[in-house]
């Protein structure tokens, strides 16, 4: 699951994201999501990675990213 802090750092309002299902087997929902050809939330190119963020106000939401944006927005470093 994606940290809600990522959305804040990218200035993305969770209410602008599509609702995600309450629970799905690992991987299958993301694969189905990618078949829908959604834009990357950061740059607008075709997304190649589908993740989920959950916030108390908006519940579970899809966060679609392309690989370059995924790499650019993935935290690095130790615990």
């Amino acid at each position: 699951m994606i940290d809600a802090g990522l959305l804040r750092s990218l200035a993305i309002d969770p209410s602008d994201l599509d609702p995600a299902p309450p629970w799905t087997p690992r991987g299958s929902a993301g694969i189905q999501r990618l078949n829908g050809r959604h834009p990357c939330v950061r740059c607008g190119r075709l997304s190649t990675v589908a993740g989920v963020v959950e916030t108390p106000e908006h519940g579970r939401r899809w966060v679609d990213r392309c690989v370059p944006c995924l790499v650019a927005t993935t935290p690095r470093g130790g615990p």
Side-chain angles (χ1 to χ4, degrees):
M1 187 160 319
I2 297 167
D3 186 296
L6 171 66
L7 297 183
R8 286 190 296 277
S9 70
L10 297 174
I12 296 171
D13 183 350
S15 66
D16 292 337
L17 303 174
D18 293 338
W23 180 86
T24 53
R26 182 171 172 83
S28 66
I31 292 168
Q32 290 173 352
R33 175 77 180 174
L34 292 175
N35 288 337
R37 307 189 63 83
H38 298 276
C40 174
V41 297
R42 186 169 182 241
C43 72
R45 289 185 284 192
L46 184 63
S47 67
T48 50
V49 179
V52 174
V53 66
E54 186 166 356
T55 66
E57 303 85 19
H58 301 96
R60 293 171 54 89
R61 300 290 178 143
W62 286 112
V63 179
D64 304 303
R65 291 179 283 177
C66 63
V67 170
C69 289
L70 172 69
V71 170
T73 58
T74 299
R76 291 172 183 65

